[in-house]
Amino acid sequence: MVGASSRDNYANPSLDDDGLIDPDDADINDFDDPLGHQTSRQPLTGNIGSAPGGGSSSSSSRPLNQSAWTSRIPGEDRSAPQNTIDESVWETLRRDLLAVWAKMREVLYPKYLLGGTMFDADGLRGAYANIRGAGLAGAREEITGLANRFMDSEALLSQNNMTSGLRDWDLWGPLIFCLLLSLLLSFNARADQKDVVFSGVFAMVWIGEAVVTLQIKLLGGSISFAQSVCIIGYTLFPLVIAALLSALGIPTVARIPVYLFLVAWSLAAGVSILGGSGVVKNRVAIAVYPLLVFYLGLGCLCFIS
Amino acid sequence: MSGSGYDAVVDVDDDGDLGHTDLQEDLEFHNSNFNDTTPGARKAPSSGLPPPVTASTSSGKRMLWTISFYAQYFDVDTSAVLSRCWAALYPRANFLDVLEGNSDLYGPFWIATTVVLILFLGGTISQYLAQTGDHPFAYDFKLLSGAAGLIYGYTLFIPIVLYLALRYFGSESANLLECWALYGYANLIWVPVALISWSPITILNWVFVAIGFGVSVFFLLRNLYPVLSATDRQTSKILLVVVIALHMGLSLTIKILFFAHGSPVASNPDGGSGGD
């Protein structure tokens, strides 16, 4: 009884207040504003610094503006409460899955393209309301704006896409999506080639991620290798949808527009690794081309499955 | 011993008087590349600007295992790559002049990757059109690995062999990077060829593959001939014949493996080793 209540006291404040960064609870200020150039670290640091639960001797000696990726418990799950030994397995799993989900939402929304964040009034819903309100003219305006932003490599490069959630990368998402993609694609392969397709796709994804990242680094971009692999891995999600549709066997004619959209979504989300990487402007196209080949290749594999 | 001493000197004295070392030349080159958008004026002399972000070699040492060492082989920008691709498809000047002594590996690698992907797609479409019967079509994943092995292997190993042969027969001007760049950019013609030759009309496919072979072998010979003729007469002839024969082997393999419509692929799955 006593143990249970103490555990509740223990787990609750740290899980809710400081540890888990749930985008549902976050307001607009917690996300990176693509228009303003302030770093996203500011609100988050305040959060951690003012946390009541974790104040130990080590954290009080730490300066307040320490960056977001330093964890209170070095080398352990960063979004966990201090002691994870007496929580249920489901809680641990749930926290990890929530972290994957939160990161996926951050990665898959191409901020530089659509502006704002996913839950911002200026973002997707704003565009939708605009189209509904102004009819055809509004739609045309939105589309030209989109096209302009798509061609504007300056804006892509100048903004820093590395929000706080993306700074502490993990490889869970890449692993999950890579496994799902290989599995779904191997369902529809020839009976004697299922194992070859599985291992081939698995290898293709990881080697492709590594090669694409390496290519951007070789072209002068200063990106973190693992972070970029993490983001590219998370952007495989639209292709997993494509593979799922293929495994369900939707007709070929319907595949073309859907898959083109999904590949474009992946590409638009994946291009964000170039943000703030320092690739010079006249090299943006040849830095994007490897990404295009990577997504297009996997998309074609989904298409013909 | 002396080499490491050089590195240390350049490291300390960044804008020093070692103008003849390749390191200084590299810094110079980065400068001009950063500012110029025109591809023609890339080797303009240094204008005294601070080194750009891309000049990661400014930290001095170029170790074999650092990324900045390999970054010098990818030192191109978009317009340079496009003009090189155009020069490979529509050759007017010697390609080595187009390269301006700055041969890149970006083009060869990504052209090869594109060719692999498109060959796989074209081959799959060709098989799809060739299939008979009512059972659902399933693609052949081995086509992808076959294409990758063929194209990557050919582009990687044949230039090495050629370079070693040239060196052995006493050609001083042979350059491995240039050989790779030549073979890599020569692959570009296979992109349009593979895009159009998925049709089931056999004679058309032969024509397309012949065009691809003709264009790429013309490109190769035209640019390799000055290098090859540096060796003595007999050897250069033999090397020319070998180059042509190998390239013909590649073309035939592409035709048979990817645009064959049925029988030879099924009965002879081992044909992919012809290229290398």
Side-chain angles (χ1 to χ4, degrees):
Chain A
M1 193 61 196
V2 176
S5 69
S6 75
R7 187 178 70 196
D8 286 343
N9 288 340
Y10 204 38
N12 276 336
S14 38
L15 183 65
D16 289 336
D17 288 343
D18 55 346
L20 191 68
I21 309 158
D22 193 355
D24 277 329
D25 300 331
D27 59 350
I28 296 166
N29 295 326
D30 283 337
F31 288 98
D32 224 7
D33 187 5
L35 297 174
H37 292 293
Q38 88 274 23
T39 66
S40 62
R41 254 157 58 179
Q42 232 55 40
L44 197 72
T45 321
N47 242 349
I48 290 179
S50 64
S56 64
S57 60
S58 70
S59 81
S60 63
S61 67
R62 198 188 50 188
L64 275 184
N65 57 353
Q66 200 157 11
S67 47
W69 59 79
T70 51
S71 143
R72 198 167 297 128
I73 323 160
E76 289 200 20
D77 189 348
R78 293 155 183 142
S79 55
Q82 252 191 342
N83 197 346
T84 56
I85 205 162
D86 52 357
E87 67 180 11
S88 63
V89 175
W90 167 239
E91 264 176 73
T92 313
L93 273 182
R94 182 175 157 273
R95 193 174 51 241
D96 288 344
L97 288 178
L98 274 181
V100 167
W101 168 239
K103 205 165 291 181
M104 201 175 84
R105 275 207 308 217
E106 269 188 69
V107 168
L108 285 176
Y109 182 70
K111 263 179 292 189
Y112 76 96
L113 209 57
L114 302 178
T117 60
M118 202 186 286
F119 307 103
D120 190 357
D122 293 336
L124 210 55
R125 289 182 191 172
Y128 180 64
N130 204 0
I131 290 174
R132 288 223 16 203
L136 199 62
R140 196 187 302 144
E141 193 180 308
E142 277 294 327
I143 288 172
T144 38
L146 192 72
N148 282 340
R149 266 171 297 190
F150 187 70
M151 299 306 288
D152 187 10
S153 54
E154 195 92 45
L156 168 66
L157 288 180
S158 65
Q159 63 151 344
N160 194 356
N161 280 295
M162 296 301 157
T163 53
S164 54
L166 296 186
R167 279 213 190 86
D168 46 351
W169 46 271
D170 60 33
L171 293 180
W172 280 115
L175 180 67
I176 292 173
F177 292 139
C178 177
L179 281 175
L180 276 179
L181 195 65
S182 317
L183 196 68
L184 289 172
L185 282 180
S186 67
F187 279 156
N188 268 11
R190 287 185 187 177
D192 57 335
Q193 281 188 349
K194 285 190 193 300
D195 49 347
V196 181
V197 169
F198 184 86
S199 51
V201 173
F202 193 86
M204 243 172 77
V205 168
W206 286 106
I207 294 176
E209 282 170 0
V211 164
V212 166
T213 307
L214 209 60
Q215 180 65 70
I216 292 173
K217 277 178 94 79
L218 284 173
L219 286 173
S222 56
I223 50 176
S224 149
F225 188 84
Q227 208 171 52
S228 154
V229 167
C230 161
I231 294 180
I232 299 178
Y234 274 103
T235 55
L236 286 179
F237 175 70
L239 294 175
V240 171
I241 300 179
L244 182 67
L245 291 179
S246 284
L248 294 177
I250 69 167
T252 312
V253 183
R255 283 182 187 193
I256 297 174
V258 173
Y259 286 17
L260 277 180
F261 168 74
L262 289 172
V263 168
W265 181 12
S266 283
L267 185 66
V271 158
S272 67
I273 57 172
L274 286 174
S277 69
V279 176
V280 291
K281 189 166 176 276
N282 48 7
R283 284 184 179 183
V284 170
I286 54 173
V288 170
Y289 182 71
L291 276 171
L292 175 73
V293 170
F294 177 69
Y295 291 127
L296 214 59
L298 288 175
C300 289
L301 215 52
C302 295
F303 178 72
I304 60 179
S305 286
Chain B
M1 174 69 192
S2 63
S4 65
Y6 254 112
D7 266 344
V9 167
V10 174
D11 197 11
V12 171
D13 190 7
D14 220 2
D15 51 348
D17 50 356
L18 295 168
H20 57 279
T21 60
D22 55 342
L23 203 109
Q24 180 67 24
E25 190 180 310
D26 193 60
L27 276 179
E28 226 176 43
F29 168 71
H30 276 293
N31 260 337
S32 64
N33 178 35
F34 187 62
N35 289 310
D36 290 344
T37 47
T38 53
R42 303 187 69 234
K43 294 221 92 177
S46 162
S47 50
L49 284 166
V53 197
T54 50
S56 45
T57 49
S58 62
S59 62
K61 301 185 181 62
R62 274 213 215 138
M63 302 298 194
L64 201 62
W65 53 84
T66 55
I67 290 211
S68 55
F69 176 79
Y70 295 97
Q72 60 176 316
Y73 302 128
F74 293 86
D75 195 11
V76 285
D77 50 24
T78 311
S79 51
V81 170
L82 286 182
S83 69
R84 283 170 190 194
C85 287
W86 180 239
L89 279 184
Y90 181 60
R92 281 165 300 181
N94 192 321
F95 192 68
L96 296 182
D97 294 339
V98 178
L99 288 182
E100 292 171 333
N102 173 35
S103 26
D104 64 311
L105 291 181
Y106 178 90
F109 184 74
W110 288 106
I111 287 173
T113 311
T114 315
V115 170
V116 165
L117 184 63
I118 293 184
L119 272 182
F120 169 60
L121 283 182
T124 304
I125 295 174
S126 162
Q127 280 186 0
Y128 176 73
L129 293 179
Q131 73 152 357
T132 50
D134 46 350
H135 56 88
F137 173 73
Y139 68 101
D140 188 4
F141 195 78
K142 291 219 167 103
L143 218 54
L144 183 59
S145 41
L150 179 71
I151 299 294
Y152 283 139
Y154 185 81
T155 319
L156 182 65
F157 288 116
I158 299 293
I160 295 180
V161 171
L162 181 72
Y163 167 76
L164 290 180
L166 280 174
R167 269 300 157 96
Y168 180 76
F169 290 118
S171 165
E172 292 298 323
S173 61
N175 185 341
L176 182 56
L177 268 179
E178 285 178 355
C179 290
W180 267 329
L182 272 183
Y183 269 84
Y185 279 102
N187 275 336
L188 192 65
I189 187 62
W190 297 114
V191 174
V193 165
L195 272 180
I196 52 178
S197 49
W198 45 265
S199 66
I201 310 161
T202 312
I203 183 79
L204 213 57
N205 284 345
W206 279 110
V207 170
F208 286 147
V209 172
I211 290 175
F213 168 72
V215 170
S216 51
V217 93
F218 172 73
F219 173 80
L220 272 183
L221 286 189
R222 173 173 175 170
N223 297 304
L224 277 179
Y225 188 72
V227 186
L228 287 179
S229 55
T231 61
D232 62 272
R233 201 178 180 80
Q234 205 65 32
T235 334
S236 69
K237 259 186 200 166
I238 295 176
L239 281 181
L240 270 183
V241 171
V242 168
V243 165
I244 296 179
L246 281 175
H247 208 71
M248 190 174 267
L250 174 77
S251 313
L252 283 178
T253 316
I254 287 177
K255 168 76 185 75
I256 292 172
L257 203 58
F258 298 103
F259 307 116
H261 291 285
S263 49
V265 182
S267 62
N268 180 18
D270 219 20
S273 57
D276 47 27

